[in-house]
């Protein structure tokens, strides 16, 4: 059978393209190397709890068009992302706001908080930050940096902040209000039936083949369709011929606990370096769950190596230059269109993935 499009990857980008193509009478085949759809937003239901298998995903956007689009395929709850940071035995609200500053310094007003931060920054005399540590200190002062940034960042990147480039942190938002909502976006929530169900609805009517590695069957797959939508790693598509793009990866330890409530919040970040994991997710709190047991996941950041799941692109000058060379090769392809997080070597929030897929649909379909 001949298809109009072969879509490589059953994640959000590929699923949106498949839905829009089907609306326009195009025939698509989706191939996915994993044993499930939905990519990294895949949720597995365990004892009534939607478990985010590849880390927490909170949908948020200020794009009304995208919000209305996803609400065609899922009903969203009213979850507001308000993570907690734990430094030793101290608990702080994120993002950095008046609740954070009040707990840290015993103050009550924005002016007091501003004065403390400004005084700490002035005492450091940093005019041209040479590394990430100096950059962060010049933005938030010593207390916030030492307790809430330093250890967490070093675990994320696997190296000392003094050895990381300053450009990784361009800004650190300080909010002088008592508002724990992590996002400023107008729309926010999580699908009540989970993200897997959302992607299922997007893929309704489209043939999907799981456990199918496109790159291992490239020639026969290419014969099946007029065009390819490729959402995998762009350097892997070219057999790493120009070099390997770098990523950070994440390892998860997930367990079910015989208790109703483990930490009282969906996300708790552990900001001291001595704690090996970066955060603990308690999945039921994304959906206000009341189940008698709970499921938690500890996240461990680590260096990516070939064969690992790539999570966060390392967008430094070296990697961006290498990606640009791969992009030039991709732009010369007549039959293959690259898209999504891995095809674009770019960290995307979910709303941006959908917007990019819809933009491609507008051009291509």
């Amino acid at each position: 059978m001949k298809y109009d499009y072969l879509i490589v990857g059953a994640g959000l980008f590929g699923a949106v393209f498949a839905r829009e193509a089907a609306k326009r009478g195009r025939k698509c085949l989706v191939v996915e190397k994993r044993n499930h759809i939905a990519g990294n937003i895949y949720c597995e239901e365990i004892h009534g709890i939607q478990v985010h298998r590849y880390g927490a995903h909170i949908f948020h956007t200020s794009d009304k068009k995208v919000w209305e689009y996803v609400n065609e395929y899922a009903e969203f709850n009213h979850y507001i992302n308000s993570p907690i940071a734990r430094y030793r035995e101290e608990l702080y609200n994120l993002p950095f706001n008046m609740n954070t500053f009040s707990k840290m310094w015993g103050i009550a007003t924005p002016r007091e908080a501003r004065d403390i931060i400004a005084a700490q920054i002035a005492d450091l005399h940093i005019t041209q930050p040479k590394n990430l540590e100096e950059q962060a200190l010049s933005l938030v002062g010593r207390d916030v940096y030492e307790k809430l940034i330093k250890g967490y960042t070093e675990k994320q990147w696997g190296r000392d902040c003094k050895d990381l480039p300053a450009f990784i942190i361009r800004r650190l938002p300080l909010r002088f209000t008592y508002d724990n909502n992590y996002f400023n976006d107008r729309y926010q929530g999580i699908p009540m039936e989970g993200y897997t169900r959302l992607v299922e609805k997007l893929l309704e009517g489209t043939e999907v083949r799981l456990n199918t590695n496109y790159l291992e069957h490239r020639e026969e797959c290419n014969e099946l369709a007029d065009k390819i939508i490729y959402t995998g790693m762009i350097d892997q598509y070219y057999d790493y011929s120009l070099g390997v793009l770098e990523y950070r990866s994440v390892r998860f330890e997930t367990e079910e606990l015989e208790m109703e409530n483990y930490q009282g919040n969906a996300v708790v970040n552990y900001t001291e370096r001595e704690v090996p994991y970066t955060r603990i997710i308690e999945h039921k709190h994304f959906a206000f769950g009341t189940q008698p047991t709970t499921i938690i996941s500890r996240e461990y950041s680590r260096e990516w190596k070939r064969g690992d799941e790539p999570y966060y692109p390392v967008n430094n000058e070296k990697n961006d230059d290498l990606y640009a060379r791969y992009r030039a090769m991709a732009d010369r392809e007549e039959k293959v269109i690259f898209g999504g997080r891995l095809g674009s070597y770019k960290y995307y929030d979910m709303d941006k993935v959908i917007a990019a897929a819809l933009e491609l649909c507008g051009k291509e379909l």
Side-chain angles (χ1 to χ4, degrees):
M1 183 180 292
K2 190 78 170 181
Y3 300 87
D4 296 303
Y5 292 93
L6 173 73
I7 301 171
V8 181
L12 199 51
F13 188 95
V16 169
F17 188 91
R19 167 70 6 208
E20 295 305 300
K23 285 181 184 177
R24 294 162 173 81
R26 312 296 171 85
K27 194 168 186 62
C28 297
L29 169 65
V30 177
V31 295
E32 169 58 57
K33 67 180 180 180
R34 296 175 181 175
N35 63 358
H36 61 75
I37 62 169
N40 281 7
I41 64 173
Y42 172 69
C43 292
E44 179 184 7
E45 185 172 325
I46 301 176
H47 303 316
I49 299 171
Q50 292 289 339
V51 177
H52 298 217
R53 278 297 181 192
Y54 300 91
H57 287 84
I58 298 100
F59 196 92
H60 59 98
T61 187
S62 293
D63 188 329
K64 186 176 182 181
K65 177 183 175 183
V66 169
W67 181 245
E68 290 175 346
Y69 185 84
V70 293
N71 275 268
E72 292 180 34
Y73 303 98
E75 183 178 358
F76 283 73
N77 67 18
H78 59 280
Y79 176 81
I80 299 295
N81 190 31
S82 304
I84 298 293
R86 180 167 179 167
Y87 176 76
R88 297 176 182 168
E89 298 306 313
E90 301 170 17
L91 296 174
Y92 296 97
N93 289 107
L94 296 176
F96 311 135
N97 66 57
M98 284 304 301
N99 288 308
T100 317
F101 308 142
S102 178
K103 176 71 178 290
M104 189 170 289
W105 299 313
I107 53 93
T109 67
R111 171 173 282 185
E112 290 173 295
R114 289 181 187 276
D115 287 347
I116 291 171
I117 293 169
Q120 290 188 3
I121 292 172
D123 287 344
L124 293 166
H125 304 292
I126 299 171
T127 54
Q128 292 185 320
K130 297 187 292 292
N131 53 51
L132 185 148
E133 176 165 288
E134 292 187 358
Q135 173 78 341
L137 287 168
S138 71
L139 292 170
V140 298
R142 187 168 298 283
D143 289 347
V144 173
Y145 170 72
E146 292 287 349
K147 290 188 174 185
L148 302 180
I149 297 172
K150 178 178 169 61
Y152 191 86
T153 303
E154 290 178 346
K155 287 188 288 188
Q156 275 191 315
W157 292 95
R159 51 192 65 111
D160 194 282
C161 285
K162 293 177 182 176
D163 299 324
L164 291 166
F167 71 79
I168 290 177
I169 294 181
R170 291 185 169 87
R171 59 186 291 272
L172 287 168
L174 299 171
R175 296 186 189 171
F176 296 95
T177 59
Y178 288 90
D179 181 5
N180 297 325
N181 184 352
Y182 195 83
F183 301 118
N184 287 318
D185 290 308
R186 181 177 178 184
Y187 310 106
Q188 184 173 174
I190 292 176
M192 294 180 70
E193 295 183 272
Y195 287 103
T196 305
R197 181 63 181 142
L198 166 64
V199 176
E200 281 178 355
K201 289 184 177 180
L202 287 168
L203 290 172
E204 279 181 0
T206 297
E207 183 181 350
V208 179
R209 298 180 188 176
L210 301 176
N211 301 302
T212 302
N213 190 319
Y214 165 78
L215 295 177
E216 292 179 1
H217 307 280
R218 190 183 313 211
E219 287 189 18
E220 57 193 272
C221 284
N222 286 350
E223 291 298 316
L224 295 174
D226 297 325
K227 280 194 171 183
I228 314 296
I229 306 296
Y230 181 81
T231 69
M233 296 165 60
I234 190 170
D235 54 344
Q236 188 179 30
Y237 179 88
Y238 291 107
D239 298 318
Y240 308 105
S241 58
L242 302 178
V244 178
L245 291 167
E246 295 176 300
Y247 291 86
R248 292 293 294 175
S249 191
V250 183
R251 178 174 66 85
F252 299 93
E253 286 181 356
T254 299
E255 62 177 317
E256 183 174 2
L257 303 175
E258 294 298 323
M259 62 177 68
E260 186 179 345
N261 189 355
Y262 175 73
Q263 62 185 17
N265 204 54
V267 180
V268 177
N269 291 355
Y270 285 75
T271 61
E272 56 181 304
R273 188 163 185 176
E274 291 71 24
V275 176
Y277 41 85
T278 55
R279 62 182 181 175
I280 295 179
I281 297 167
E282 189 167 7
H283 300 270
K284 70 189 301 180
H285 293 310
F286 290 126
F288 316 104
T290 58
Q291 296 85 355
T293 61
T294 192
I295 297 172
I296 65 169
S297 296
R298 296 179 180 87
E299 294 188 13
Y300 298 80
S301 181
R302 64 180 183 181
E303 292 283 346
W304 175 85
K305 61 182 184 300
R306 284 164 64 169
D308 290 343
E309 184 62 37
Y311 279 84
Y312 306 106
V314 182
N315 289 119
N316 56 24
E317 185 176 353
K318 179 186 75 171
N319 285 307
D320 288 348
D321 287 346
L322 179 56
Y323 168 70
R325 293 166 61 200
Y326 277 121
R327 183 73 249 178
M329 296 172 67
D331 288 342
R332 293 193 292 270
E333 297 280 350
E334 295 182 359
K335 188 174 179 176
V336 183
I337 299 170
F338 293 77
R341 177 177 59 94
L342 302 178
S344 303
Y345 193 64
K346 182 178 181 180
Y347 178 78
Y348 273 121
D349 286 328
M350 285 178 284
D351 64 324
K352 302 299 190 296
V353 172
I354 293 169
L358 292 174
E359 181 181 2
L360 174 62
C361 292
K363 292 177 182 177
E364 179 68 21
L365 300 174

